[in-house]
Amino acid sequence: PRRPSRIYSMRTSSPRSVLNAEPRARACDDAPVSSLICSRETTSGRHAASAEARLLRWSMGRWMAPHGLQSGYCALSGAKSTIALAFSTDGTYFASTHGDHTVKVFDSSSWAIRAVLTGHERTPWTVKFHPRSRRILASGSLDQSVRVWDIERAECIAHHHFLFVVSCISFHPSGNILAVTSGKRISVWRWSSAVKERLSLADRLGVTGEAAAAEAAEAAAEA
């Protein structure tokens, strides 16, 4: 009987293994990208898989920043999963939400952790930076709440609980209002007014330690 033809796996290397792989002196890796695409699309089996791997190496070398080529991914400890990502408008920071219920803020130039924001009781599902201030960040969570954070102090400066799970948030261009999706509802929350009301109540009660929240809110409003 005729032997069945051999089946080759189409699985290619992961980005981490490609980044950490030792460079090999092969002329095929220097081939024009158009020929690699042609090879991937017109061949099958191990030839197509080889072309796919070379295209991945080319794209990594062409578009990844130098520190990305050296270190691969950001090193995260204790995070079960990563859900959402956002850059600050000036590109200085980027933030991520995780299954350990935290929001982590990184320095874009070095990937060093700038702040770890804790307070959500369940996984934050969405994260956004203030449009005018990289110091202010908002996150919405499966615990049905939205929190506004002061990154410099790693503190929550405003908090609001909604009736359903929060799946998406968005800042108004002014930065003073947050649009929130919670279940089937769309809500608008003037979070900056909530900070000012909290400060006013603290003043009347003689509570100290609220100046930081007001300072962050005013800095965002004036940015």
Side-chain angles (χ1 to χ4, degrees), residues 90-104:
D90 63 358
T92 300
Y93 299 141
F94 70 92
S96 55
T97 69
H98 301 276
D100 60 359
H101 306 172
T102 65
V103 179
K104 294 178 172 61

Side-chain angles (χ1 to χ4, degrees), residues 28-37 55:
C28 60
D29 286 340
D30 297 327
V33 65
S34 57
S35 67
L36 293 179
I37 295 174
L55 274 171

Side-chain angles (χ1 to χ4, degrees), residues 56-65 69:
L56 183 58
R57 282 196 293 271
W58 175 86
S59 63
M60 286 290 187
R62 176 66 178 82
W63 300 113
M64 289 290 284
L69 291 174

Side-chain angles (χ1 to χ4, degrees), residues 33-208:
V33 65
S34 57
S35 67
L36 293 179
I37 295 174
C38 180
S39 177
R40 183 189 65 179
E41 299 299 326
T42 58
T43 59
S44 60
R46 59 182 177 184
H47 297 293
S50 176
E52 179 74 17
R54 297 201 302 272
L55 274 171
L56 183 58
R57 282 196 293 271
W58 175 86
S59 63
M60 286 290 187
R62 176 66 178 82
W63 300 113
M64 289 290 284
H67 65 267
L69 291 174
Q70 295 169 5
S71 59
Y73 301 128
C74 292
L76 297 176
S77 59
K80 297 179 181 179
S81 57
T82 301
I83 308 300
L85 296 167
F87 273 99
S88 61
T89 54
D90 63 358
T92 300
Y93 299 141
F94 70 92
S96 55
T97 69
H98 301 276
D100 60 359
H101 306 172
T102 65
V103 179
K104 294 178 172 61
V105 182
F106 300 85
D107 188 301
S108 298
S109 62
S110 64
W111 287 4
I113 292 181
R114 181 70 175 78
V116 178
L117 309 175
T118 59
H120 282 298
E121 297 177 0
R122 294 185 64 190
T123 301
W125 209 248
T126 178
V127 62
K128 293 291 189 299
F129 274 91
H130 190 281
R132 298 186 179 184
S133 174
R134 63 173 177 261
R135 178 176 175 174
I136 303 298
L137 177 75
S139 57
S141 171
L142 298 180
D143 65 9
Q144 304 179 4
S145 74
V146 174
R147 289 178 177 267
V148 180
W149 308 89
D150 177 1
I151 294 172
E152 291 186 5
R153 300 179 62 89
E155 291 181 353
C156 177
I157 60 174
H159 170 263
H160 190 81
H161 191 84
F162 293 84
L163 295 177
F164 302 97
V165 166
V166 175
S167 57
C168 185
I169 58 175
S170 181
F171 275 103
H172 184 273
S174 69
N176 296 324
I177 299 172
L178 273 165
V180 180
T181 59
S182 174
K184 296 181 179 180
R185 300 183 178 185
I186 299 174
S187 302
V188 176
W189 176 35
R190 193 176 293 274
W191 71 271
S192 58
S193 296
V195 173
K196 293 177 181 178
E197 289 173 5
R198 194 176 94 188
L199 178 62
S200 177
L201 177 62
D203 286 340
R204 292 198 301 270
L205 297 177
V207 178
T208 60

